[in-house]
Amino acid sequence: MTDRPDDPTQLDWSPLTRGDLDELSGLLTAIEHLDEPDERHSTAELYEIFDEVGSDHGRETLVGRSGPSMVAYAWNHPQRYDVSPRRVYCTGGVHPGWRRHGVGHALLRWQLAASRAWCEATRQPGHGPLQALCVVDEKVSDQRRLYESVGLQAQRWLADMTRRLDGPPPRPLAVPGVRLVPLAPEWFEPTLLAHNAAFADRQGVQPIDADSWREQLTRSACRPHWSWLAVTEDGAEVVGYALSSAYEQDWPAQGFSQGWTDRLGVRPPWRGRGVASALLYRSMQSFHAAGLDAAGLGVDADDEKGAVRLYQHLGYRPVSMFVTYVHDEAG
């Protein structure tokens, strides 16, 4: 087990257990009440992440208590299918009443050390360098200052975009040689092949393994009946996909309900034919039929000539921004 953080307040530290998750949910609620991020947690999601295949909570998690009360946590999420770089997403937080005492700095330093320990323990020939990442709502300035104070660099901006569904959305245009079908379990593997092919040429994106893909498509937030695939007429190949979810925990704070497109991709030979637009319009129809107020998705804010322009053409508008902070280490 990785050493405990060098915590000046001397909290009682232990790994996160499944029995702690409801209490962790309460801590996250307190943190979100103060910070007001646009994206919120759900208790169901915490259980799903905890139960992911390959998790090692003794090495990847810590919770800090003052007496019986949980006041801080750290949770590392190694991307086990990554080869180069080897990425670890670091999440954590401190109760508002315990900030300004060095706890956040101590936790983040522990997370970076735990990321290195995981990388060293699992390294194989051909593995690249380690990259620790922290994603934060752009307006949560305290968290951003924390990351910058320990040397993390802001490297990527992701925009959340929303399209209001004030009336029935347009019908998707027909794409020659393609038909749209809803997501179903028999399509999970062909859709994974399409995803890995669609992003093989995208810098920094690495293939997803079958176990992680199935976990993502069976989460409680996933909505298969809102998710659509573009398949060849003979059904031999998935050429594009729009996979959608309902993050209902976000709706009260944002003031409207929304169907969220988690993943959108098109195989390279099929790009430029209207497949992505057809999939998004079909998803919007599903959202509208479900009585939702809006459609939403996330996009790399630097891709102004590609995805951003497409989404704006379809009526999406940016509503919030998230920053990815990165700590690179030599391989």
Side-chain angles (χ1 to χ4, degrees), residues 44-120:
E45 215 167 40
L46 296 179
Y47 278 92
E48 290 166 350
I49 295 170
F50 189 89
D51 292 336
E52 286 178 353
V53 173
S55 296
D56 184 353
H57 306 105
R59 295 179 182 274
E60 297 166 2
T61 66
L62 271 184
V63 294
R65 287 186 170 83
S66 174
S69 301
M70 184 186 298
V71 299
Y73 84 101
W75 197 341
N76 281 3
H77 307 278
Q79 305 301 291
R80 293 171 177 82
Y81 50 82
D82 283 357
V83 174
S84 182
R86 306 199 68 208
R87 297 177 300 169
V88 178
Y89 282 90
C90 303
T91 61
V94 179
H95 190 283
W98 280 81
R99 296 181 181 178
R100 307 291 190 271
H101 297 294
V103 178
H105 283 83
L107 272 180
L108 186 52
R109 287 193 293 268
W110 177 88
Q111 290 187 276
L112 296 176
S115 298
R116 288 191 292 271
W118 167 80
C119 187
E120 292 165 3

Side-chain angles (χ1 to χ4, degrees), residues 2-321:
T2 307
D3 291 339
R4 295 293 180 264
D6 183 17
D7 163 31
T9 65
Q10 298 299 302
L11 295 174
D12 181 20
W13 295 100
S14 61
L16 180 70
T17 69
R18 206 168 192 277
D20 294 327
L21 294 178
D22 287 346
E23 188 178 5
L24 174 60
S25 180
L27 172 60
L28 287 167
T29 297
I31 291 171
E32 291 164 356
H33 180 73
L34 179 69
D35 293 340
E36 297 185 330
D38 287 335
E39 294 183 356
R40 308 297 173 102
H41 82 286
S42 77
T43 305
E45 215 167 40
L46 296 179
Y47 278 92
E48 290 166 350
I49 295 170
F50 189 89
D51 292 336
E52 286 178 353
V53 173
S55 296
D56 184 353
H57 306 105
R59 295 179 182 274
E60 297 166 2
T61 66
L62 271 184
V63 294
R65 287 186 170 83
S66 174
S69 301
M70 184 186 298
V71 299
Y73 84 101
W75 197 341
N76 281 3
H77 307 278
Q79 305 301 291
R80 293 171 177 82
Y81 50 82
D82 283 357
V83 174
S84 182
R86 306 199 68 208
R87 297 177 300 169
V88 178
Y89 282 90
C90 303
T91 61
V94 179
H95 190 283
W98 280 81
R99 296 181 181 178
R100 307 291 190 271
H101 297 294
V103 178
H105 283 83
L107 272 180
L108 186 52
R109 287 193 293 268
W110 177 88
Q111 290 187 276
L112 296 176
S115 298
R116 288 191 292 271
W118 167 80
C119 187
E120 292 165 3
T122 59
R123 179 169 292 281
Q124 297 180 16
H127 279 175
L130 169 67
Q131 194 175 71
L133 306 99
C134 301
V135 182
V136 61
D137 191 313
E138 185 181 47
K139 65 178 177 290
V140 183
S141 55
D142 283 354
Q143 198 81 353
R144 295 185 64 185
R145 281 193 292 269
L146 169 62
Y147 297 152
E148 292 165 1
S149 71
V150 298
L152 276 71
Q153 302 292 319
Q155 288 193 5
R156 188 183 182 197
W157 279 258
L158 298 172
D160 279 2
M161 303 183 73
T162 291
R163 184 195 193 279
R164 300 299 296 223
L165 301 175
D166 299 322
R171 294 179 59 85
L173 295 176
V175 179
V178 166
R179 58 190 174 94
L180 303 185
V181 300
L183 177 67
E186 62 266 25
W187 290 108
F188 283 5
E189 183 177 352
T191 306
L192 171 59
L193 296 176
H195 170 78
N196 286 336
F199 285 88
D201 59 352
R202 183 71 62 87
Q203 183 176 4
V205 178
Q206 302 188 56
I208 297 179
D209 68 278
D211 286 340
S212 299
W213 185 254
R214 183 164 291 274
E215 285 177 338
Q216 291 179 25
L217 296 188
T218 55
R219 297 171 305 136
S220 59
C222 187
R223 296 293 185 269
H225 52 293
W226 299 349
S227 301
W228 292 89
L229 312 177
V231 304
T232 52
E233 290 287 2
D234 60 4
E237 184 178 63
V238 174
V239 303
Y241 55 91
L243 308 180
S244 300
S245 294
Y247 296 106
E248 297 182 25
Q249 67 271 20
D250 298 339
W251 297 354
Q254 68 190 23
F256 55 88
S257 59
Q258 178 172 242
W260 187 263
T261 301
D262 281 312
R263 293 187 181 275
L264 176 71
V266 178
R267 287 180 180 269
W270 289 85
R271 292 174 186 165
R273 306 190 196 186
V275 174
S277 298
L279 287 165
L280 287 173
Y281 277 136
R282 189 64 186 88
S283 299
M284 290 179 206
Q285 288 183 326
S286 296
F287 302 155
H288 185 265
L292 303 182
D293 300 319
L297 47 72
V299 60
D300 190 329
D302 293 330
D303 188 12
E304 295 183 358
K305 294 183 179 179
V308 172
R309 181 175 295 178
L310 167 65
Y311 303 147
Q312 289 176 333
H313 176 72
L314 298 181
Y316 291 86
R317 297 293 179 264
V319 293
S320 57
M321 192 76 68

